[in-house]
Amino acid sequence: EEENIVFAAEQLKKGSMEKLDEFLLDLYSMKSFTKEEISAYMDNKKQVYDIAIRINHALSVYMDIMDTVVDNYTKRWLSYGFTGDTLVFIATRCFKDGKNTLQYMDELVESLYAKGNVDLTSVSDYFENIEKIDAFIKKMLITAGINRRPNDWDRQNVATWKSWNFSEDMILKAAELASGKSTPIPYMVGILSNWKRDNVFSLNDTDSKPAEKEISQEEYNLEYARRRNFAISKSQRNLEKAMQLEEFS
């Protein structure tokens, strides 16, 4: 009805006829025709924008145009079942980790969704588990003589080594043997790979084995290539996502 179209136009407050046409098409796609339905649509839209603003604030990210953020990120995240509070919690974690970008948060949200961690409790439990893993990794790095923060490669390595049935004590033993080497992590890979091959899975067995030889250049090159390919693949994914943003392109 004409009065509903006028009511819809009043909701825009300002804008061109083109904007009004887009708005009416949105309303049509959502089957919002009456004043009540249009009002409900506007209330929901405001809630989504408010959530996007809260997320950006938690990330300490400023965007001139929020439409792009809402369309490319917030709507999709909410469609997965995340609540606004959960998304702000995730954004706060990203900021704490020094990875306060929408692109990184998007990767994290996708990863959490794939693992089935959507509600606030499961997301909080996930991060608590990560903190426990990082605490062990930090201990491992110190033992190996490495002074830096844990990163995704470390988490991937530890998960792989544990999948080989190595205990944390065995991993720390490998770190101890790698301390002082020019490339401690690749050296650890060589040690653990050799132990796995020789079926050595207890500290007592390591005492009966001769000292591990220095990792070969071939083994180091393979490890370096694996990490480089991982980094390139991740950078490419980030670039593809960034290119989707209107202000980037």
Side-chain angles (χ1 to χ4, degrees):
E1 297 181 6
E2 183 178 342
E3 64 176 307
N4 291 336
I5 294 176
V6 173
F7 179 76
E10 291 173 348
Q11 307 310 302
L12 284 180
K13 297 181 180 178
K14 61 179 180 178
S16 62
M17 288 300 297
E18 183 180 354
K19 286 289 184 181
L20 177 59
D21 286 341
E22 291 178 2
F23 182 46
L24 292 175
L25 284 174
D26 285 341
L27 292 174
Y28 180 79
S29 67
M30 299 300 295
K31 296 183 174 13
S32 300
F33 305 116
T34 67
K35 290 182 180 180
E36 292 75 15
E37 290 169 341
I38 294 172
S39 295
Y41 171 86
M42 293 300 295
D43 289 342
N44 180 69
K45 183 175 181 179
K46 183 179 184 303
Q47 290 176 10
V48 173
Y49 272 75
D50 287 344
I51 290 171
I53 292 171
R54 289 172 59 201
I55 290 171
N56 278 20
H57 180 74
L59 290 171
S60 192
V61 170
Y62 175 77
M63 302 287 285
D64 285 324
I65 303 175
M66 290 302 298
D67 289 358
T68 302
V69 178
V70 169
D71 292 339
N72 284 283
Y73 298 111
T74 317
K75 285 183 179 179
R76 173 161 46 85
W77 297 341
L78 291 171
S79 73
Y80 290 162
F82 292 95
T83 65
D85 288 342
T86 302
L87 290 171
V88 171
F89 179 79
I90 296 171
T92 302
R93 174 72 189 211
C94 291
F95 180 83
K96 178 182 176 183
D97 290 344
K99 299 178 179 178
N100 54 318
T101 67
L102 286 164
Q103 290 84 358
Y104 176 79
M105 180 171 169
D106 187 42
E107 289 185 4
L108 182 54
V109 169
E110 290 287 348
S111 176
L112 289 167
Y113 178 65
K115 293 180 174 68
N117 299 317
V118 176
D119 64 280
L120 184 57
T121 299
S122 64
V123 170
S124 178
D125 289 344
Y126 171 82
F127 285 133
E128 284 184 12
N129 185 54
I130 289 293
E131 288 177 357
K132 291 179 182 177
I133 294 172
D134 283 358
F136 168 73
I137 291 175
K138 185 175 181 180
K139 183 178 180 180
M140 177 195 77
L141 293 174
I142 292 174
T143 302
I146 301 172
N147 182 25
R148 62 168 172 77
R149 295 175 61 180
N151 57 40
D152 289 338
W153 286 345
D154 297 324
R155 299 183 190 104
Q156 184 183 24
N157 278 331
V158 169
T160 298
W161 299 336
K162 287 186 174 181
S163 74
W164 291 353
N165 294 322
F166 285 115
S167 66
E168 291 186 353
D169 286 340
M170 289 292 287
I171 294 173
L172 289 175
K173 181 64 176 180
E176 179 184 332
L177 294 172
S179 179
K181 305 299 181 184
S182 58
T183 54
I185 298 298
Y187 190 84
M188 287 181 64
V189 173
I191 292 174
L192 293 168
S193 179
N194 288 337
W195 284 348
K196 181 175 182 292
R197 179 199 62 205
D198 296 337
N199 203 32
V200 175
F201 293 101
S202 73
L203 292 176
N204 290 335
D205 291 336
T206 64
D207 293 336
S208 63
K209 290 284 181 180
E212 298 291 335
K213 65 179 181 179
E214 188 80 39
I215 188 169
S216 70
Q217 186 63 42
E218 181 182 1
E219 289 173 311
Y220 174 78
N221 289 342
L222 288 172
E223 174 67 12
Y224 176 80
R226 182 182 72 83
R227 289 168 175 270
R228 184 173 182 273
N229 290 336
F230 178 82
I232 292 173
S233 176
K234 186 173 182 180
S235 297
Q236 183 62 35
R237 290 197 303 270
N238 288 339
L239 178 60
E240 290 173 355
K241 289 183 178 181
M243 289 296 292
Q244 295 174 1
L245 298 178
E246 293 180 4
E247 65 269 24
F248 189 91
S249 58

